[in-house]
Amino acid sequence: MRYTPDFITHLNKGEIFVFGSNLAGHHSGGAAKQALKWGAQMGVASGPMGNTYAIPTVKVTGFDAIERYVSQFIKYVEGNDHITFYVTAIGCGSAGFTPEQIAPLFKDLVEESNVYLPENFWQVLRRKGLIK
């Protein structure tokens, strides 16, 4: 399993910090605030910025919107297999979702050797039978 470290304090070239944001792109707390030091931009709610990738989870209209943003991220990963992605526990902080709700959205990335997921996401994926 490729676990995202609990605390990321440094990124090397070719490493991307994936975090949950809000639709306004106000990165004022948690992982979103941390992302500012690696290129996240205030006012930009989704997509790649510097050494970060934002996935909106706060103030989105319905869970299906989060699914669409994660699908966009998956397509981005597929086109960038030379980059290492450290996915944080998006949606599981101020957005109020649980790992049981969010982790399955990343099931299509479990075979991607360049994607790291939080340990609790891997646990959910295993428990739900989505990985071997």
Side-chain angles (χ1 to χ4, degrees), residues 80-91:
N80 289 284
D81 60 357
H82 62 287
I83 297 173
T84 299
F85 296 91
Y86 294 106
V87 178
T88 62
I90 71 150

Side-chain angles (χ1 to χ4, degrees), residues 24-111:
H26 292 147
H27 311 307
S28 57
K33 185 174 182 180
Q34 180 78 2
L36 289 170
K37 76 184 228 180
W38 295 308
Q41 300 169 12
M42 284 291 199
V44 180
S46 67
M49 298 169 275
N51 283 60
T52 70
Y53 191 102
I55 299 175
T57 58
V58 176
K59 297 185 181 177
V60 295
T61 53
F63 192 77
D64 58 328
I66 296 172
E67 290 177 304
R68 285 192 301 276
Y69 286 117
V70 172
S71 291
Q72 290 172 0
F73 170 67
I74 291 169
K75 288 179 184 157
Y76 185 78
V77 167
E78 290 169 348
N80 289 284
D81 60 357
H82 62 287
I83 297 173
T84 299
F85 296 91
Y86 294 106
V87 178
T88 62
I90 71 150
C92 298
S94 59
F97 296 99
T98 66
E100 286 75 19
Q101 293 170 296
I102 298 292
L105 300 178
F106 292 90
K107 70 182 180 322
D108 292 340
L109 293 176
V110 298
E111 299 296 326

Side-chain angles (χ1 to χ4, degrees), residues 3-45:
Y3 298 124
T4 298
D6 290 334
F7 299 101
I8 298 174
T9 58
H10 175 77
L11 289 175
N12 293 311
K13 184 177 180 180
E15 294 180 334
I16 300 291
F17 183 79
V18 182
F19 68 100
S21 71
N22 61 50
L23 278 180
H26 292 147
H27 311 307
S28 57
K33 185 174 182 180
Q34 180 78 2
L36 289 170
K37 76 184 228 180
W38 295 308
Q41 300 169 12
M42 284 291 199
V44 180

